[in-house]
Amino acid sequence: MKKYNYKIYIPSGNPTALVLSMERDIEKRRKINDEIMGLYNFIEQVGFINDDINNPELLMAGGEFCGNATRSAVYYYLKGKKGKIKIKVSGVKNKLNAGIDKDNNVWVDMPIIKGLFINSIKELNKKEAIIKLQGITHVVIEDKNINNKYNKEELKNYSYNILKKYNLLDEPASGVMYINCLENKIELTPIVFVKDINTLFYETACGSGTVAVGLYMSYKNNKSVKLDVIQPTKEIIKVETKISNKEIINARIMGKVIEWEV
């Protein structure tokens, strides 16, 4: 643990460790990931950031995309102060626009697949769809009683089998997002699998899952949406989508990030 420095952030209740130096070797990233998670059993993901403040970059331990880790990196690069940056993130082709607004919400324009719904959304039935982003793919399922049906370990196993059923286990990362639709709000229960580091988490909060939910609701209603998505922590990640003529133009998530004292 003396070979590298790291910080721990809590974006909307989702504990995230960022190693303050870049590591390109996947085996070394796996080892560091396991060391940090061994020290802090509440950590849900580990990322590596470029220590050059003028070249913002985030590389996840498994090479996947992670929305909340991206927001944590944005907080680090902007030192928690209002501003905007462009950041390179693993699993994503182009740099992402991101920043901190006047209300201290950390936001990021998500790596959606722009264009017609058909390019990134596959409807399975009236209450299920697969939503593909760059670097991660989610199955969104409407089921308000999911947490009454299974305990956490049972739900993880159930979700793993769903990902297997839809051949999503070979994606860099994939998840099942269970939602309970309320008036102007949605309750989210997120399960996420990361292939290269073989982790399966019942997450406390999920940024990419939140944008998948926003896109799902836009698809169902054929319009732009602004939603408060209640995470398992009971904290909120806001999602805003911009839709025009059944095409996805943009999608953004925003919420609070705090630094945890190591």
Side-chain angles (χ1 to χ4, degrees):
M1 296 304 300
K2 295 180 180 179
K3 294 180 288 185
Y4 50 86
N5 295 318
Y6 58 93
K7 289 180 178 288
I8 295 174
Y9 294 94
I10 315 292
S12 302
N14 184 207
T16 302
L18 295 183
V19 178
L20 307 182
S21 58
M22 186 52 67
E23 178 54 69
R24 304 292 179 187
D25 186 277
I26 179 63
E27 293 302 327
K28 291 180 180 178
R29 294 204 308 272
R30 284 175 182 159
K31 182 178 179 181
I32 294 170
N33 176 87
D34 293 346
E35 286 179 352
I36 291 177
M37 286 189 170
L39 278 178
Y40 305 97
N41 62 8
F42 59 88
I43 296 292
E44 296 181 10
Q45 61 251 339
V46 177
F48 297 75
I49 58 176
N50 191 338
D51 56 6
D52 179 0
I53 201 77
N54 296 313
N55 188 24
E57 181 180 359
L58 168 67
L59 174 59
M60 296 303 294
E64 78 280 11
F65 172 75
C66 177
N68 278 335
T70 300
R71 292 198 303 117
S72 298
V74 171
Y75 186 96
Y76 168 81
Y77 282 116
L78 290 176
K79 299 180 180 179
K81 298 178 182 179
K82 180 183 174 182
K84 295 181 181 179
I85 61 170
K86 288 183 177 291
I87 182 169
K88 181 179 179 181
V89 185
S90 54
V92 180
K93 294 177 183 178
N94 301 315
K95 291 182 178 181
L96 301 176
N97 294 315
I100 301 177
D101 67 18
K102 61 182 178 60
D103 298 316
N104 295 318
N105 290 305
V106 184
W107 60 269
V108 59
D109 286 338
M110 298 291 276
I112 57 174
I113 299 172
K114 295 183 179 182
L116 293 172
F117 283 136
I118 197 172
N119 293 338
S120 57
I121 300 175
K122 179 181 179 181
E123 185 176 24
L124 301 171
N125 57 55
K126 292 301 182 182
K127 293 196 174 184
E128 297 185 21
I130 295 174
I131 314 294
K132 186 172 181 61
L133 308 174
Q134 295 180 46
I136 193 165
T137 300
H138 291 298
V139 183
V140 177
I141 299 175
E142 292 185 54
D143 190 338
K144 64 182 180 180
N145 296 314
I146 194 69
N147 288 301
N148 295 324
K149 297 177 183 177
Y150 305 99
N151 63 35
K152 288 185 178 181
E153 287 304 312
E154 290 170 341
L155 186 57
K156 285 165 61 177
N157 292 332
Y158 177 72
S159 302
Y160 184 89
N161 286 327
I162 290 175
L163 297 175
K164 184 177 181 180
K165 174 182 176 181
Y166 293 121
N167 299 312
L168 296 177
L169 293 175
D170 285 331
E171 296 287 321
S174 53
V176 185
M177 302 292 117
Y178 303 95
I179 59 173
N180 178 20
C181 298
L182 308 171
E183 186 176 355
N184 297 322
K185 293 183 180 180
I186 290 178
E187 291 179 337
L188 174 65
T189 299
I191 308 292
V192 176
F193 174 73
V194 180
K195 176 188 172 186
D196 280 351
I197 54 175
N198 194 34
T199 58
L200 181 68
F201 274 106
Y202 183 118
E203 294 206 332
T204 53
C206 185
S208 63
T210 295
V211 83
V213 170
L215 293 175
Y216 173 81
M217 298 306 293
S218 284
Y219 171 80
K220 287 196 69 174
N221 298 290
N222 192 27
K223 66 178 183 179
S224 303
V225 300
K226 291 184 179 181
L227 295 170
D228 287 349
V229 180
I230 305 169
Q231 310 296 314
T233 55
K234 303 305 179 185
E235 294 191 39
I236 288 173
I237 299 179
K238 295 180 180 292
V239 58
E240 297 181 358
T241 65
K242 185 176 180 182
I243 308 299
S244 178
N245 296 323
K246 296 185 178 180
E247 289 193 19
I248 303 168
I249 307 300
N250 194 48
R252 174 179 292 186
I253 61 168
M254 64 196 75
K256 302 299 182 183
V257 175
I258 61 172
E259 185 174 348
W260 191 79
E261 292 297 327
V262 176

